[in-house]
Amino acid sequence: MSSDDDDDLLFSDRPEWADVTPVPQDDGPNPLVPIAYAPNYADAMSYFRAVLATTDRSKRVLDLTEFIVRLNPGHYSVWKYRQDTVFALSADLTSELDFIEEMAEDQPKSYQIWHYRQAMVAHLSDASREIPFINRMLAIDSKNYHAWSYRQWVVYTFALWDKEFSDIDRLLEVDVRNNSAWNQRFWVFKNRPEGFEGGELEKEVEYVVKRILLAPRNESPWAYLRGIVALAGKTLADIPAIADLCASLRDTASNTSSTDVSPHALAMQLDIAVAKQNTAECKTICSLLIQQDPIRAKYWHYRLTLVA
Amino acid sequence: MAQEVPSKFLLDLHVQFILGLDKKKDEFEYWASEQLRLNGVYWALTSLDLMNHKDDLNRDDVIAFVLSCQNKDGGFGGSVEHDSHLIYTLSAVQIMVMLDAVDRLDRSAITAFIQSRANADGSFTGDAWGEVDTRFSYIALAGLSLLDRLDAVDVAMAVRFIEACRNFDGGFGSTPGAESHAGQIFCCVGALAIVDALEIVEADKLGWWLAERQLKNGGLNGRPEKLEDVCYSWWVLSALSILDRIHWINKDSLIQFILGSQDADTGGIADRPGDVPDVFHMLFGVAGLALLGYPGLKAVDPRYCMPKYVTDHRIPNRRNIQSREAPPPPPSSQSKLDMEI
């Protein structure tokens, strides 16, 4: 990495670039969208074009590409060139990891930063820094899509299944509405080498029920529950604990004369009633949902037509 | 927050907002998003066309700019002298189709570029760098269909990869196992619609999940427990429309949410009421309203996010699609480091 003093210098003023002739932008005649760059960016890009033209793979390219992606982290061509140069130089990849960690704090949603990280770690074949890094990023934004996708690659590629549940538990402890964490929990059960045994289902249902009770209108654990029951090869109607959960949520609401039943509880009761071909119960639940989830009334009317 | 929430669509102001975009060249965001330039032209042109103002952009200038972004590999970069990427290649094709200038394109070169981005497992990479994402599956299939060259890739394999990205909640993610996300769902459902493979979708299950995206304020989010955003008016609605279930959400409250996200001073539409407008949310707000049948706007094709009259003309009742095999199992990953996430 270059020192702070160097960062302010134009590349045209840097002695190590004196032998290079910069190639300015060619917008062609009468451009529709002529681009007025900041002078330091235009200067750096002129040197980048020169580098491309000569396939320069020297160490100074690292300073140049760092300068550009700091200003414009979405510039995939520059990232790709940096990657090829790093590999060609057999450069120290741990300093690349440091660089990415610093960049990711400012640009957590840049596709390019995450893709670059993956390329470095794949090349290193060492993921010892990855889960701690990802956890730091999830501490900033626990639903960062890039961080979760990258996490799946890391866990799968380096078989790091063991720690997943403790991290997921912790994230759900902080925010039981974290759909990404619920998705990850399902993904681990589905993809880990030992799979998901039917015998584990009871304990897992208990885990979910406990968290549904914290926030019954939270969509994520309900969807997860459907998924995990299906993954075990069962149906909702097979699991008494699920029918009990829905019934108790409905009872609680009626006992407090509140109309505030979780639509997800009612929806699950509806599916169980459909499976048991209990038409009268289906109709009752659909009518309740039409009242209590009015924004989706047309969906519940549709469900009613399916049972009527 | 804006003092007064607009209750009508501010068409004239929006047209001015879009035409004024290229006068902001000195602003940081403008040059920092340089590689998005071709997307920006697509967002602007499509918005204008849906508002019946397409001719306000100079056709010859736009065509010249698009052609100047093409590289030797047949693909398009986001701007002049940028490396090719599927994202910009689709924008280029869409713009040229909307301008009825496909004859100016080298179709076989573009087809070859898209073809070169196909992987053996049916996925696509966006560029030579190798990122895999169902967004790229959509782009490849949408782009090839607009060029009438779907024969150039293995459509059955492409469908198989999309199917592997379907989740337990009925939605789709960026790669197998990745969380369902309304943007990715638009891509997957749109791609499946384009190649006549919607049987992959669990329509009732996904339709309900999509309807669940509507919040009390009428706006739509992209994932459970996330904030509402005008762009999801497109990603969610288009998928619901393709699945013939657009009526499952509350139309009036969504219209009010989109109208409330307009900037009554400058024109343009923001991600949500009170925020600064941009051309990306401009398009997806207008397209959402068009899909909801808002008066004064052209009909929009939910598969392409282009005016329907354009796609009706470009894609007649032509179906040269390979027949698909029975639903296959999810693909097994080849080498561990090559696994698609």
Side-chain angles (χ1 to χ4, degrees):
Chain A
M1 305 299 110
S2 52
S3 74
D4 287 346
D5 291 344
D6 289 348
D7 285 349
D8 295 334
L9 273 182
L10 292 177
F11 284 85
S12 50
D13 294 336
R14 299 188 192 200
E16 71 271 27
W17 289 93
D19 61 313
V20 176
T21 307
V23 180
Q25 168 95 14
D26 178 10
D27 275 337
N30 308 316
L32 172 75
V33 275
I35 298 163
Y37 298 107
N40 59 347
Y41 185 77
D43 168 72
M45 282 305 296
S46 299
Y47 280 85
F48 182 67
R49 278 181 217 101
V51 157
L52 273 182
T54 57
T55 329
D56 183 345
R57 296 286 181 204
S58 60
K59 198 167 174 300
R60 62 187 173 185
V61 170
L62 301 184
D63 290 338
L64 177 67
T65 52
E66 176 183 342
F67 183 90
I68 297 169
V69 296
R70 276 187 192 280
L71 286 172
N72 189 357
H75 206 315
Y76 54 94
S77 317
V78 177
W79 281 110
K80 170 80 163 63
Y81 197 87
R82 180 182 182 88
Q83 177 186 315
D84 293 343
T85 306
V86 163
F87 292 163
L89 287 169
S90 301
D92 174 18
L93 297 189
T94 57
S95 68
E96 291 303 292
L97 297 184
D98 294 338
F99 171 49
I100 289 299
E101 284 169 31
E102 190 207 323
M103 287 282 291
E105 301 249 333
D106 289 337
Q107 300 283 342
K109 294 197 171 176
S110 158
Y111 282 96
Q112 288 73 27
I113 287 172
W114 291 97
H115 189 61
Y116 189 78
R117 178 89 182 186
Q118 182 174 330
M120 293 300 122
V121 170
H123 198 80
L124 269 173
S125 289
D126 173 6
S128 53
R129 285 171 65 163
E130 298 319 287
I131 298 296
F133 163 60
I134 294 165
N135 282 342
R136 286 199 301 281
M137 295 306 293
L138 292 176
I140 299 167
D141 174 3
S142 63
K143 299 173 184 178
N144 182 326
Y145 201 88
H146 306 278
W148 283 106
S149 298
Y150 179 59
R151 187 180 186 109
Q152 291 188 348
W153 178 80
V154 168
V155 169
Y156 189 97
T157 306
F158 297 94
L160 301 174
W161 303 97
D162 296 348
K163 276 204 66 208
E164 281 309 273
F165 287 121
S166 59
D167 281 345
I168 292 166
D169 289 348
R170 183 175 47 75
L171 286 160
L172 289 177
E173 186 91 14
V174 175
D175 178 11
V176 76
R177 298 172 190 271
N178 185 339
N179 193 60
S180 307
W182 286 106
N183 183 71
Q184 183 73 356
R185 191 171 179 88
F186 184 87
W187 179 81
V188 172
F189 278 132
K190 191 176 172 200
N191 290 283
R192 65 179 182 170
E194 60 267 45
F196 185 63
E197 297 294 328
E200 295 173 282
L201 184 60
E202 195 182 330
K203 200 170 147 235
E204 190 59 15
V205 169
E206 202 181 303
Y207 180 95
V208 184
V209 167
K210 208 171 134 193
R211 283 158 184 78
I212 284 177
L213 290 171
L214 296 173
R217 301 179 80 92
N218 173 19
E219 174 186 355
S220 302
W222 291 101
Y224 174 83
L225 190 55
R226 291 170 191 278
I228 206 76
V229 167
L231 187 65
K234 302 277 188 183
T235 68
L236 296 171
D238 296 334
I239 321 287
I242 295 178
D244 293 348
L245 166 72
C246 300
S248 81
L249 286 171
R250 208 165 138 187
D251 288 348
T252 310
S254 61
N255 289 342
T256 56
S257 71
S258 154
T259 55
D260 200 28
V261 190
S262 162
H264 300 290
L266 292 173
M268 200 161 276
Q269 267 193 327
L270 174 60
D271 287 347
I272 294 170
V274 168
K276 292 185 169 168
Q277 296 183 312
N278 187 342
T279 309
E281 173 77 350
C282 289
K283 287 183 179 171
T284 310
I285 299 171
C286 284
S287 306
L288 268 173
L289 280 163
I290 290 166
Q291 289 166 25
Q292 301 199 4
D293 189 24
I295 203 161
R296 275 166 285 277
K298 291 207 173 124
Y299 170 68
W300 300 118
H301 274 291
Y302 166 75
R303 292 296 303 267
L304 187 58
T305 63
L306 295 182
V307 294
Chain B
M1 292 288 289
Q3 300 298 310
E4 288 188 20
V5 178
S7 59
K8 279 189 183 154
F9 185 65
L10 308 169
L11 192 144
D12 293 338
L13 214 48
H14 294 322
V15 171
Q16 284 173 32
F17 171 79
I18 293 169
L19 296 177
L21 283 172
D22 70 342
K23 299 187 177 75
K24 296 186 183 173
K25 289 169 210 128
D26 295 337
E27 293 179 11
F28 175 83
E29 291 78 7
Y30 188 83
W31 61 260
S33 64
E34 176 201 6
Q35 75 275 11
L36 293 175
R37 200 59 31 83
L38 200 45
N39 290 153
V41 175
Y42 158 74
W43 296 328
L45 179 68
T46 309
S47 302
L48 288 172
D49 199 357
L50 291 173
M51 295 190 290
N52 299 296
H53 274 262
K54 183 174 76 169
D55 296 338
D56 288 8
L57 279 189
N58 184 305
R59 182 174 182 272
D60 292 341
D61 288 352
V62 174
I63 291 172
F65 172 67
V66 169
L67 294 177
S68 74
C69 296
Q70 188 166 28
N71 293 307
K72 289 196 185 79
D73 60 11
F76 290 76
S79 191
V80 182
E81 290 189 345
H82 278 248
D83 285 357
S84 297
H85 197 293
L86 276 184
I87 289 178
Y88 313 113
T89 303
L90 178 61
S91 282
V93 172
Q94 287 175 309
I95 293 166
M96 295 298 268
V97 168
M98 279 189 281
L99 295 177
D100 200 13
V102 179
D103 56 332
R104 302 279 304 275
L105 289 174
D106 182 345
R107 281 172 59 219
S108 52
I110 301 171
T111 301
F113 174 72
I114 297 175
Q115 209 170 21
S116 74
R117 304 269 49 90
N119 297 320
D121 68 354
S123 66
F124 288 82
T125 52
D127 58 37
W129 200 14
E131 192 192 350
V132 167
D133 191 314
T134 47
R135 289 179 302 148
F136 307 143
S137 302
Y138 168 76
I139 289 172
L141 297 177
L144 288 173
S145 73
L146 289 169
L147 296 171
D148 200 12
R149 284 303 313 272
L150 274 173
D151 60 296
V153 291
D154 187 337
V155 171
M157 279 306 288
V159 169
R160 186 189 286 221
F161 178 77
I162 293 171
E163 187 175 22
C165 297
R166 191 182 62 204
N167 287 319
F168 59 87
D169 53 20
F172 294 85
S174 58
T175 49
E179 185 184 2
S180 294
H181 182 292
Q184 308 290 151
I185 291 169
F186 157 75
C187 291
C188 292
V189 172
L192 293 172
I194 286 168
V195 300
D196 268 348
L198 280 173
E199 68 274 14
I200 296 304
V201 180
E202 299 171 276
D204 277 359
K205 193 177 196 179
L206 177 55
W208 181 36
W209 190 91
L210 290 166
E212 282 288 331
R213 306 281 55 81
Q214 190 164 33
L215 304 175
K216 282 210 173 81
N217 62 12
L220 305 172
N221 63 16
R223 289 187 271 165
E225 300 296 335
K226 297 280 283 184
L227 282 178
E228 69 283 357
D229 185 319
V230 159
C231 69
Y232 294 108
S233 309
W234 177 258
W235 312 125
V236 173
L237 274 189
S238 57
L240 278 171
S241 169
I242 290 168
L243 299 175
D244 206 14
R245 283 160 176 78
I246 200 167
H247 54 286
W248 284 5
I249 56 115
N250 187 300
K251 177 179 158 178
D252 294 336
S253 63
L254 177 57
I255 289 175
Q256 288 314 311
F257 173 77
I258 300 173
L259 294 179
S261 303
Q262 299 177 106
D263 191 314
D265 297 326
T266 63
I269 299 178
D271 55 354
R272 61 184 67 89
D275 284 356
V276 178
D278 59 76
V279 67
F280 173 85
H281 290 94
M282 176 76 237
L283 171 61
F284 295 118
V286 172
L289 290 172
L291 216 43
L292 292 165
Y294 195 87
L297 300 174
K298 282 183 184 154
V300 62
D301 187 328
R303 301 167 302 169
Y304 292 96
C305 198
M306 291 162 67
K308 194 166 176 305
Y309 80 93
V310 172
T311 53
D312 282 349
H313 174 70
R314 180 66 202 158
I315 306 179
N317 294 321
R318 158 198 61 76
R319 284 292 168 217
N320 55 351
I321 295 154
Q322 304 146 17
S323 62
R324 288 201 334 103
E325 305 150 26
S332 58
S333 51
Q334 318 85 347
S335 83
K336 279 197 161 185
L337 287 176
D338 284 341
M339 189 195 79
E340 276 80 30
I341 47 164

